Amino acid sequence: PLQSKPQAVVTFPGELVGAWSDLELAESYLLRFGYTTEVEAKTGSKHASLGKALRKMQKQLGLEETGELDASTLEAMRAPRCGVPDQPS
Amino acid sequence: FLTFEGDLKWDHMDLTYRVMNYSPDLDRAVIDDAFKRAFKVWSDVTPLTFTQIYSGEADIMIMFGSGEHGDGYPFDGKDGLLAHAFPPGRGIQGDAHFDDDEFWTLGTGLVVKTRHGNANGADCHFPFIFEGRSYSRCITEGRKDGLPWCATTPSYDHDKKYGFCPSELLYTDGGNSDGAPCVFPFVFDGSSYDSCTTDGRSDGYRWCATTTNFDQDKKYGFCPNRDTAVIGGNSQGDPCVFPFTFLGQSYSACTSQGRQDGKLWCATTSNYDTDKKWGFCPDKGYSIFLVAAHEFGHSLGLDHSSVREALMYPMYSYVQDFQLDPDDVQGIQYLYGRGSGPAPTAPVPAPTEESQPMPTEAGSTSTSEEETPEPTAEPIPVDPSWDACMEESFDAITEINGELHFFKDGKYWTHPSFWKSGIQGAFFTADTWPGLPAVIDAAFQDVLTKRVFFFASRQFWVFSGKSVLGPRGIEKLGIGKEVTRITGALQRGRGKVLLFSGESYWRLDVKVQRVDKGYPRATDDIFTGVPLDARNVFLSQDKYHFCQGKFYWRMTPRYQVDRVGYVKYDILQCP
């Protein structure tokens, strides 16, 4: 059978080229909504502090507490939401 | 629930609010109404009152804005952050801001409120038929003046009902021209414009002059969004232009070509390949009512909740028949106390129906009526002498297919909730629901699937028509061994049903047939003022009924007891 024409993918003006990586999205989300602080993010092992912050977020939002950047956590981070932080900063 | 540190709250109950500006996505009246209902969510369960003012400083100042909008907490374009609000206090405290890069609707897509015509401001009905053709957007066909219009019923050809759609040719919002329409062309900064523009502004709002020369007259207004206005992209608010050319192909409708995320977009000039002007096509959008109700919770002192179904849960989800979750009610009443609903008193001998004051029906949540399948077979009356009015009490009471059912010792009677056709029966329970024991403790009909659940001691049955699943033990639902029987059930929408036993209740997820975590909870946490060990608990006409012996207590969806009376005389209407 004939191959259908390959789908063109266009970068539309005004849109970010190559949106954030999952990790960048997570770090920004956890910082913005109060699950971690700049200091915490910078000191100690990055993985441990990320895991701790993720666990805090997962607990607060009723997600499974894995401490990992799993699919449901990423989905939650991309969901439309209120801009007020979840943790008092 | 959580409050802000230090339990920040208002030091007065009579709060004021002011809407500083309006999103062009919705008619101003629709936005005002949504905000008013959003405040009513909270005033219904507290002593708080909210009054809209139109000038000066209000307690809660409300505004729409995009990106950085003056408070150092920038929004982020379409989707993502939708809005934010500040805890109670002076100045910016208590204020609520909404991201105008979002597409604001009532949650189910574009709302096009019409003006003029002969439909009294009704919304457009899409699709509608005009001269035999179907249209799903505002059209200018049939007119010479280019004013977009729509039908407000499915067929203009049949009903001749129509109104004009938002358009800068009809009116403008805000500015200093009292709603006058745009004049094209107009001169601004020495240049001629023949459409709305964002030139000269940093906030991205489209405007036009309402005279031929803005440089000279300084008269202007903001352009309302047309129904085909795009969201985001690089020409927010401009209408799609059909057909448009993209990669050499012609498109007469929105397309997701060229994108990997599947979002629909269109060009806002006739040729994307040369002009590169585009935006996203309208989708369901976000309910300004739901988001406002959440943000106003912050304005009153509530922080985010971790209860997923609560209004104060931080993520947006659209709910059709909105109801405050008990978690929200507990939170706001912790800060401001309860409303001024009537205090329950023990019943006194029932006066006659006429002399009884009608309770004020302070707005009831409407439930969507779905077609209910007919019951499979007409039950055969047993013996008319088995008169429901001779019974002192009933094993179970519930509403099935819109009719109240009263069960007792293997028999049941029906009493239509909406019309006064009187009691029907008695019928044999086993005829309609074969396999059930003579005595049952509780029953409820699942709103979505219309299945009927019956409970007797620690067993339950699920009927779909005449086919039955069960009996099964209630431990399968996750209810502990300490429960001897279920005494009642309240349907809560979104597939949830509260099951009562003793002084506690559980929340059952009907779909997975499992009770949610965090239960049981004490009945009087929420349902204050009703008997704690009620024998029958059921929902009828949007109100909760708690029965004990001959009496019942009726509670509104806002958890206020608004009536106490006799089951026999007031519900069954026995003589």
Side-chain angles (χ1 to χ4, degrees):
Chain A
L2 285 178
Q3 287 298 315
S4 63
K5 205 162 62 173
Q7 282 270 331
V9 175
V10 168
T11 301
F12 285 81
E15 278 206 308
L16 286 176
V17 175
W20 283 348
S21 69
D22 290 348
L23 184 58
E24 285 164 333
L25 170 67
E27 285 170 346
S28 159
Y29 190 98
L30 294 169
L31 196 62
R32 161 175 287 210
F33 296 109
Y35 294 107
T36 186
T37 61
E38 297 266 354
V39 170
E40 276 174 356
K42 284 203 175 63
T43 54
S45 104
K46 192 163 186 176
H47 183 72
S49 72
L50 181 66
K52 181 184 167 207
L54 278 173
R55 200 176 289 278
K56 212 190 280 184
M57 171 217 169
Q58 287 160 345
K59 181 167 191 282
Q60 165 85 17
L61 297 182
L63 303 173
E64 191 187 349
E65 296 177 44
T66 61
E68 295 299 323
L69 197 53
D70 50 42
S72 63
T73 304
L74 275 169
E75 186 190 350
M77 287 180 173
R78 288 200 175 86
R81 58 157 293 157
C82 169
V84 173
D86 297 331
Q87 301 275 315
S89 52
Chain B
F1 65 87
L2 279 174
T3 58
F4 291 107
E5 260 173 83
D7 288 346
L8 288 177
K9 59 180 275 189
W10 294 97
D11 59 6
H12 55 291
M13 293 291 187
D14 51 342
L15 298 176
T16 58
Y17 69 94
R18 180 179 166 192
V19 183
M20 300 301 291
N21 66 342
Y22 290 82
S23 166
D25 294 346
L26 285 165
D27 189 279
R28 180 178 280 238
V30 174
I31 293 176
D32 274 342
D33 175 70
F35 285 153
K36 188 174 175 184
R37 289 185 292 122
F39 279 118
K40 190 173 184 293
V41 162
W42 301 109
S43 60
D44 277 351
V45 292
T46 63
L48 291 169
T49 62
F50 299 94
T51 306
Q52 184 173 9
I53 63 174
Y54 299 91
S55 62
E57 180 80 9
D59 296 313
I60 300 172
M61 303 286 267
I62 302 167
M63 66 171 281
F64 289 85
S66 302
E68 172 48 55
H69 50 278
D71 61 9
Y73 296 97
F75 288 133
D76 58 353
K78 188 175 184 313
D79 303 318
L81 299 181
L82 304 182
H84 56 219
F86 298 87
R90 291 186 171 287
I92 198 171
Q93 302 297 121
D95 291 0
H97 301 166
F98 297 84
D99 182 354
D100 220 346
D101 280 333
E102 307 307 340
F103 179 40
W104 292 109
T105 67
L106 296 177
T108 55
L110 184 65
V111 176
V112 184
K113 184 172 169 46
T114 64
R115 294 189 184 201
H116 312 297
N118 61 2
N120 293 324
D123 292 349
C124 291
H125 187 287
F126 295 128
F128 65 90
I129 304 292
F130 171 61
E131 293 185 348
R133 279 190 62 188
S134 174
Y135 295 94
S136 290
R137 55 191 175 81
C138 299
I139 60 174
T140 55
E141 274 78 347
R143 299 197 61 84
K144 291 193 183 62
D145 55 357
L147 282 177
W149 67 278
C150 70
T152 56
T153 67
S155 168
Y156 175 80
D157 296 347
H158 181 266
D159 305 315
K160 302 287 187 266
K161 282 284 182 191
Y162 80 100
F164 290 98
C165 300
S167 132
E168 64 281 4
L169 302 178
L170 191 66
Y171 66 93
T172 55
D173 268 331
N176 62 3
S177 302
D178 294 327
C182 298
V183 169
F184 296 120
F186 66 88
V187 173
F188 167 60
D189 210 11
S191 302
S192 176
Y193 289 77
D194 55 12
S195 66
C196 297
T197 181
T198 59
D199 288 1
R201 297 190 67 84
S202 60
D203 57 15
Y205 283 109
R206 297 177 328 120
W207 67 278
C208 69
T210 53
T211 68
T212 57
N213 193 321
F214 176 81
D215 294 348
Q216 188 180 299
D217 307 321
K218 301 285 185 257
K219 299 293 276 184
Y220 77 101
F222 293 103
C223 303
N225 274 359
R226 299 233 181 164
D227 61 310
T228 56
V230 297
I231 299 117
N234 61 4
S235 38
Q236 164 111 327
D238 286 347
C240 296
V241 169
F242 296 119
F244 64 90
T245 303
F246 171 59
L247 297 181
Q249 297 276 331
S250 178
Y251 292 83
S252 296
C254 297
T255 180
S256 60
Q257 282 292 323
R259 302 190 63 84
Q260 286 179 313
D261 57 16
K263 286 185 182 177
L264 293 173
W265 67 277
C266 70
T268 53
T269 68
S270 59
N271 192 322
Y272 175 83
D273 296 338
T274 52
D275 306 324
K276 300 282 189 281
K277 300 293 274 181
W278 72 284
F280 291 111
C281 293
D283 51 22
K284 290 244 183 283
Y286 297 107
S287 162
I288 184 67
F289 161 70
L290 286 173
V291 175
H294 174 100
E295 298 308 329
F296 296 161
H298 288 315
S299 300
L300 296 175
L302 284 181
D303 203 342
H304 282 152
S305 163
S306 55
V307 174
R308 191 179 282 267
E309 291 79 13
L311 175 63
M312 294 312 295
Y313 188 72
M315 287 178 204
Y316 172 87
S317 64
Y318 175 72
V319 174
Q320 183 166 357
D321 296 308
F322 169 74
Q323 263 185 6
L324 262 185
D325 187 83
D327 183 68
D328 302 303
V329 176
Q330 281 179 17
I332 202 70
Q333 291 183 346
Y334 167 79
L335 288 172
Y336 296 100
R338 299 171 193 283
S340 55
T345 51
V348 293
T352 58
E353 181 76 14
E354 285 66 25
S355 66
Q356 199 169 28
M358 282 303 287
T360 51
E361 298 286 348
S364 67
T365 50
S366 61
T367 49
S368 56
E369 294 293 345
E370 289 180 29
E371 282 307 310
T372 51
E374 288 303 318
T376 49
E378 276 306 312
I380 302 161
V382 173
D383 173 349
S385 66
W386 284 358
D387 175 359
C389 294
M390 302 304 285
E391 300 292 343
E392 281 307 313
S393 64
F394 295 92
D395 299 332
I397 302 175
T398 195
E399 211 172 73
I400 299 175
N401 293 339
E403 287 188 325
L404 271 175
H405 285 54
F406 300 80
F407 293 88
K408 188 69 181 282
D409 298 335
K411 302 187 296 298
Y412 72 92
W413 294 266
T414 63
H415 186 286
S417 305
F418 291 104
W419 55 88
K420 304 268 181 264
S421 62
I423 303 167
Q424 312 285 318
F427 308 101
F428 274 117
T429 307
D431 282 349
T432 311
W433 297 283
L436 273 185
V439 176
I440 61 170
D441 296 324
F444 72 86
Q445 180 179 38
D446 175 36
V447 170
L448 291 174
T449 61
K450 304 305 172 195
R451 290 178 301 175
V452 183
F453 288 65
F454 288 94
F455 296 85
S457 66
R458 286 191 51 81
Q459 290 185 314
F460 76 102
W461 294 256
V462 182
F463 279 84
S464 295
K466 272 207 189 293
S467 60
V468 63
L469 183 61
R472 288 178 291 164
I474 57 176
E475 59 280 2
K476 285 213 180 312
L477 302 175
I479 294 180
K481 293 245 179 293
E482 72 283 4
V483 174
T484 54
R485 61 194 180 85
I486 301 295
T487 55
L490 286 179
Q491 298 92 331
R492 291 288 281 209
R494 274 186 278 139
K496 303 286 186 182
V497 175
L498 302 184
L499 298 181
F500 290 81
S501 176
E503 300 187 4
S504 306
Y505 66 92
W506 289 255
R507 189 172 65 193
L508 174 72
D509 184 324
V510 179
K511 193 172 175 183
V512 295
Q513 295 198 12
R514 194 83 184 157
V515 293
D516 290 336
K517 279 191 212 138
Y519 290 87
R521 294 183 184 172
T523 301
D524 71 356
D525 269 356
I526 291 296
F527 303 96
T528 46
V530 300
L532 286 183
D533 54 356
R535 175 60 194 278
N536 275 310
V537 182
F538 63 93
L539 179 72
S540 174
Q541 293 187 29
D542 287 339
K543 297 215 174 150
Y544 312 131
H545 295 69
F546 293 80
C547 304
Q548 191 180 62
K550 292 183 282 188
F551 307 106
Y552 78 95
W553 281 250
R554 188 178 77 177
M555 180 173 261
T556 70
R558 279 163 299 286
Y559 309 107
Q560 290 166 335
V561 174
D562 69 348
R563 191 170 191 150
V564 180
Y566 285 91
V567 171
K568 198 185 294 190
Y569 303 116
D570 299 318
I571 299 180
L572 273 172
Q573 279 144 32
C574 296

